[in-house]
Amino acid sequence: MAGKTKKSEASSSSSRNSSRSSNHRGESVVVDYGKNKSSCGYCKSSARSSISHGLGTQSITINDYQDLLDRGWRRSGCFLYKPEMEKTCCPAYTIRLKAGDFVPSKEQLRVSRRMQRFLEGTLDCKRPVETVEDPNASRDTCSRTHLGVSSLAVKESSSNNNEEKDGEENIVRFLSDQVGSVVHACSESGEFPDIQFPKASVKKVSQAKRKILVEGSEDLLYSTNIAFQIAATIKRSLPDQKDGNQGRFSRNITDENGPSPKLIAEKLESFLNQLAKTSGLSVRACNGHLNFYSAAKHASAYESSQTVSVSKGSAASSVSKGCSLKNSSENTQVKRRRLEIHLKRSSFDSEEYALYRRYQMMVHNDTPDHVTESSYRRFLVDTPLIFVPPTGDGTVPPCGFGSFHQQYVIDGKLVAVGVIDILPRCLSSKYLFWDPDFAFLSPGKYSALQEINWVKENQAHCSTLQYYYLGYYIHSCSKMRYKAAYSPSELLCPLRYQWVPFAIAKPLLDRKPYVVLSDFSTLQDRESLPPHVSEDVMEMQHDDIGKEDTNDFLMYDDEGMMEPEYGSSDNEQHLASVDVEDGDVGNILIGLKGSRVKFKDLKFAFRPSERSYLEFQLRRYMRVVGEALAERMVYSLE
């Protein structure tokens, strides 16, 4: 029943809503696209094993969307989707956190401290120097880039031996933090599996060891073997990953022998390249090691055509602009930075789009033709949510309810954008894109902490606003597991729509991907779980809703956007045989030819075969949205 015209109706709904955005009352108007089967972007299955239900939205009130979230729905632009949890290959559970109960982990505290140091100027990254690559330089064995650590902090001798020792310790600590941040970035982007890796440790290379290395290595100052540790950790944690065929990260960092330290080191170097537009030290990935060199001397030995700028404000004329540690008594000037966070209503912004385009191509390896302005608008700008302005009576926050873009601006430069929905009971995080040059600041983690704090602060203006929704949690997808690190979180039961503590859900999901979590909601903590949950009990939790039916199209997901394709069902003649939950569909409000009529007052206007088919669709619709929403929202037949 859903044709291609419905796609354009949903996609353009935000523009139609602009004139009615101040309408508090509004109405939710949806178009039922039915069931979708597609290939899965999470488990990379080639089969059409990802199954969901889709709705197009012409408009939707903030209360109705809040209730849809609490029944497992999500939106991508003007398209709503809900996984068929008992059938889909990768069940996706809605996850939320009560902001007032949030307890930050050590890693989350480190992210906040790192940002604070960066803003205070004790972790200082300046603009890059202009460099010219030597066309004759070989990249077969070793690759080069520049890491932002001032050569002043590396090469300049201090008259005080203790100060010199402390300075080198700070440099080693700084370099270790930078490598650790890149490892985290690789995990977050899916290049590495999302598992616990060893802490990166960069060590100073002694003069004696430099002499036995290749010619020119007299400029080698620091090195780390973290790539070897990462390879060993992956082998131990993922014994079933063989021959590099089990995911994108394996194909990039494995060879015929499994995880390769050489490839891992080169991958880390390529990520450091995003940071290394600030120069000072150069970093090379050499046979599994990451080596750090003095950039100025190394340039003369290896890259005779490279030009290195001189920092005019430095105490040494040989210092290049870069990222410096503010620990030297000769480097007393501290450049403080200003972070501004702006919350604006969802609208197209050319600066945001340019940042999104760069992020998608550099972090997710999208091709330019897949990062178009139209796809960006549909994915992150268009919204069906009807804006509710502030009222000043304690029921609406000062920004109002609706869809927003939260901009992170450092010294006037846009570095990240969070796309969020602000609703009566929660802030729902939808997407974040950021400048790859700032990956070392862990913008994903930092923005989540800011959004949690925003909820806490705005409870004074709207007492019902208590939760932070992180989207979907897929236990079988390692890239998704970071969401559970925001503790104490809850998962939504896919059958009874009750919230269950993650500590209870995790051991159940370790055994089986689909679980009716509310069956175990009386358990107080994971220690009280029985050591072996009976398979028979788990099997009984399945609520078999029926056989597959109706429309096929590609769905949107939390990680990105795929273009939907709509088409009529190939098996509509079998719909009557499908077991669909009984329900009184007579009170569902039908939108037809500009009118709003309850189905019970309209059904006899249809021929018997048409009426039977429409009743089936309405029962299926009532099952996926719930009786209250089915009677409140307008089911459009236009």
Side-chain angles (χ1 to χ4, degrees):
M1 207 174 158
K4 290 185 178 293
T5 56
K6 294 179 181 176
K7 169 188 171 184
S8 60
E9 290 174 2
S11 298
S12 61
S13 65
S14 61
S15 60
R16 292 200 298 270
N17 287 338
S18 60
S19 62
R20 56 187 292 179
S21 61
S22 61
N23 184 353
H24 288 228
R25 301 181 183 275
E27 64 177 4
S28 299
V29 181
V30 299
V31 178
D32 188 4
Y33 290 151
K35 184 172 293 187
N36 158 49
K37 294 174 61 183
S38 68
S39 58
C40 181
Y42 299 110
C43 66
K44 310 298 182 184
S45 171
S46 57
R48 297 168 67 82
S49 56
S50 179
I51 305 173
S52 64
H53 196 105
L55 294 175
T57 54
Q58 298 177 14
S59 62
I60 192 165
T61 67
I62 48 100
N63 288 299
D64 287 347
Y65 185 57
Q66 175 72 72
D67 289 347
L68 284 168
L69 282 182
D70 291 337
R71 287 186 64 90
W73 289 82
R74 291 281 288 167
R75 80 172 182 90
S76 185
C78 295
F79 180 76
L80 302 181
Y81 59 97
K82 175 184 177 178
E84 293 277 0
M85 295 285 282
E86 72 285 356
K87 298 176 183 177
T88 193
C89 56
C90 296
Y93 297 81
T94 301
I95 183 170
R96 75 175 186 181
L97 165 75
K98 190 170 185 178
D101 295 340
F102 173 58
V103 179
S105 66
K106 291 182 180 179
E107 168 60 24
Q108 289 157 356
L109 291 173
R110 278 196 293 269
V111 168
S112 294
R113 288 195 295 266
R114 187 185 305 131
M115 175 63 81
Q116 191 62 35
R117 292 199 306 271
F118 178 73
L119 296 176
E120 290 174 350
T122 55
L123 185 63
D124 183 28
C125 295
K126 300 177 183 177
R127 295 306 301 163
V129 300
E130 295 183 1
T131 63
V132 180
E133 291 285 336
D134 181 356
N136 299 317
S138 172
R139 296 183 59 89
D140 292 340
T141 304
C142 301
S143 54
R144 288 190 298 272
T145 187
H146 291 96
L147 180 68
V149 180
S150 172
S151 55
L152 172 64
V154 177
K155 299 297 291 179
E156 188 173 30
S157 298
S158 170
S159 58
N160 187 303
N161 290 335
N162 290 331
E163 287 184 6
E164 181 177 3
K165 181 178 179 181
D166 291 342
E168 289 190 347
E169 288 178 354
N170 286 327
I171 294 168
V172 166
R173 188 182 306 113
F174 173 78
L175 292 176
S176 298
D177 287 345
Q178 296 304 297
V179 175
S181 296
V182 169
V183 173
H184 281 299
C186 287
S187 293
E188 290 181 352
S189 66
E191 299 292 346
F192 295 171
D194 187 12
I195 58 179
Q196 186 67 40
F197 288 113
K199 185 176 180 180
S201 176
V202 174
K203 296 183 179 181
K204 183 177 180 180
V205 179
S206 67
Q207 188 69 33
K209 288 186 178 180
R210 294 180 210 172
K211 292 180 179 179
I212 65 173
L213 299 178
V214 297
E215 183 181 355
S217 63
E218 64 275 5
D219 300 319
L220 174 61
L221 299 175
Y222 305 95
S223 183
T224 178
N225 65 351
I226 184 64
F228 291 91
Q229 299 177 55
I230 291 173
T233 302
I234 294 175
K235 286 181 180 178
R236 288 194 301 268
S237 301
L238 302 174
D240 295 331
Q241 301 267 353
K242 297 178 180 179
D243 301 325
N245 294 322
Q246 300 296 322
R248 183 163 65 91
F249 68 85
S250 295
R251 289 195 298 270
N252 288 338
I253 62 174
T254 62
D255 55 23
E256 63 275 8
N257 297 317
S260 165
K262 180 177 182 294
L263 295 177
I264 291 171
E266 290 174 356
K267 179 59 66 176
L268 293 175
E269 193 276 340
S270 70
F271 267 67
L272 283 169
N273 186 42
Q274 306 307 322
L275 306 177
K277 292 183 179 179
T278 57
S279 67
L281 286 181
S282 68
V283 57
R284 300 196 310 170
C286 297
N287 297 321
H289 292 271
L290 279 177
N291 295 333
F292 300 87
Y293 299 81
S294 171
K297 288 188 178 181
H298 193 65
S300 62
Y302 284 92
E303 298 175 352
S304 58
S305 62
Q306 179 175 330
T307 60
V308 181
S309 300
V310 175
S311 178
K312 296 180 180 179
S314 172
S317 61
S318 62
V319 177
S320 63
K321 291 184 179 181
C323 184
S324 58
L325 295 172
K326 301 294 184 177
N327 290 300
S328 170
S329 59
E330 299 181 26
N331 211 358
T332 56
Q333 290 188 348
V334 175
K335 178 185 177 182
R336 294 183 178 274
R337 295 176 174 81
R338 179 179 177 83
L339 169 64
E340 299 174 278
I341 302 177
H342 305 300
L343 187 65
K344 59 187 283 287
R345 288 180 57 189
S346 182
S347 62
F348 180 78
D349 182 302
S350 58
E351 186 180 12
E352 289 184 2
Y353 170 59
L355 179 61
Y356 168 79
R357 185 175 172 85
R358 183 164 179 256
Y359 168 80
Q360 291 295 132
M361 290 190 293
M362 297 185 71
V363 176
H364 292 291
N365 300 315
D366 285 355
T367 57
D369 58 317
H370 281 86
V371 194
T372 63
E373 181 179 318
S374 60
S375 66
Y376 169 71
R377 286 178 180 271
R378 287 197 303 273
F379 181 31
L380 296 177
V381 178
D382 289 353
T383 175
L385 297 188
I386 300 173
F387 177 70
V388 175
T391 57
D393 61 359
T395 61
V396 182
C399 62
F401 290 129
S403 299
F404 298 85
H405 286 192
Q406 188 152 277
Q407 298 179 331
Y408 295 79
V409 180
I410 296 180
D411 289 346
K413 175 182 174 62
L414 182 67
V415 300
V417 177
V419 182
I420 61 176
D421 292 327
I422 298 176
L423 304 170
R425 295 192 292 277
C426 75
L427 182 155
S428 175
S429 180
K430 185 179 184 305
Y431 202 74
L432 178 83
F433 52 95
W434 36 268
D435 189 332
D437 288 346
F438 290 82
F440 67 99
L441 292 175
S442 301
K445 293 185 178 74
Y446 184 79
S447 65
L449 297 175
Q450 291 301 310
E451 289 167 359
I452 292 170
N453 285 333
W454 186 94
V455 174
K456 289 181 179 180
E457 293 170 358
N458 280 272
Q459 287 178 4
H461 306 289
C462 178
S463 60
T464 61
L465 187 62
Q466 297 187 19
Y467 291 95
Y468 177 56
Y469 282 48
L470 295 89
Y472 284 138
Y473 173 82
I474 301 176
H475 194 63
S476 59
C477 178
S478 61
K479 287 176 63 177
M480 286 287 191
R481 294 195 178 187
Y482 76 93
K483 296 184 179 184
Y486 298 90
S487 179
S489 55
E490 301 174 303
L491 299 184
L492 184 67
C493 174
L495 179 62
R496 300 186 183 92
Y497 305 111
Q498 298 171 3
W499 294 97
V500 177
F502 179 79
I504 292 175
K506 182 183 182 302
L508 301 169
L509 296 174
D510 284 340
R511 295 181 57 82
K512 198 162 189 174
Y514 174 74
V515 182
V516 179
L517 299 174
S518 57
D519 285 352
F520 300 88
S521 60
T522 57
L523 299 175
Q524 295 304 308
D525 53 53
R526 65 176 298 174
E527 284 74 19
S528 62
L529 275 169
H532 300 289
V533 181
S534 167
E535 288 291 336
D536 293 335
V537 173
M538 301 291 279
E539 287 293 342
M540 289 171 60
Q541 297 181 55
H542 285 269
D543 180 41
D544 191 4
I545 299 174
K547 300 177 182 178
E548 298 159 358
D549 60 84
T550 67
N551 306 321
D552 290 344
F553 53 89
L554 295 177
M555 69 175 288
Y556 295 75
D557 61 40
D558 277 354
E559 301 305 317
M561 185 195 72
M562 293 179 286
E563 200 72 25
E565 296 177 355
Y566 308 120
S568 60
S569 170
D570 293 329
N571 56 352
E572 291 178 355
Q573 65 271 27
H574 299 300
L575 291 178
S577 66
V578 177
D579 179 21
V580 178
E581 180 180 290
D582 290 333
D584 181 9
V585 298
N587 289 323
I588 293 180
L589 201 60
I590 304 296
L592 184 63
K593 296 182 179 179
S595 300
R596 306 289 186 258
V597 184
K598 290 185 177 181
F599 179 65
K600 64 183 179 182
D601 299 325
L602 181 69
K603 62 181 180 180
F604 292 109
F606 296 96
R607 291 176 299 187
S609 60
E610 294 174 331
R611 183 167 64 248
S612 176
Y613 175 62
L614 183 55
E615 284 179 349
F616 165 80
Q617 288 185 308
L618 293 175
R619 289 193 187 97
R620 181 189 60 189
Y621 166 71
M622 178 175 283
R623 172 176 59 79
V624 294
V625 303
E627 185 175 359
L629 280 167
E631 294 180 358
R632 215 159 62 213
M633 300 190 299
V634 177
Y635 186 95
S636 178
L637 295 179
E638 299 178 301

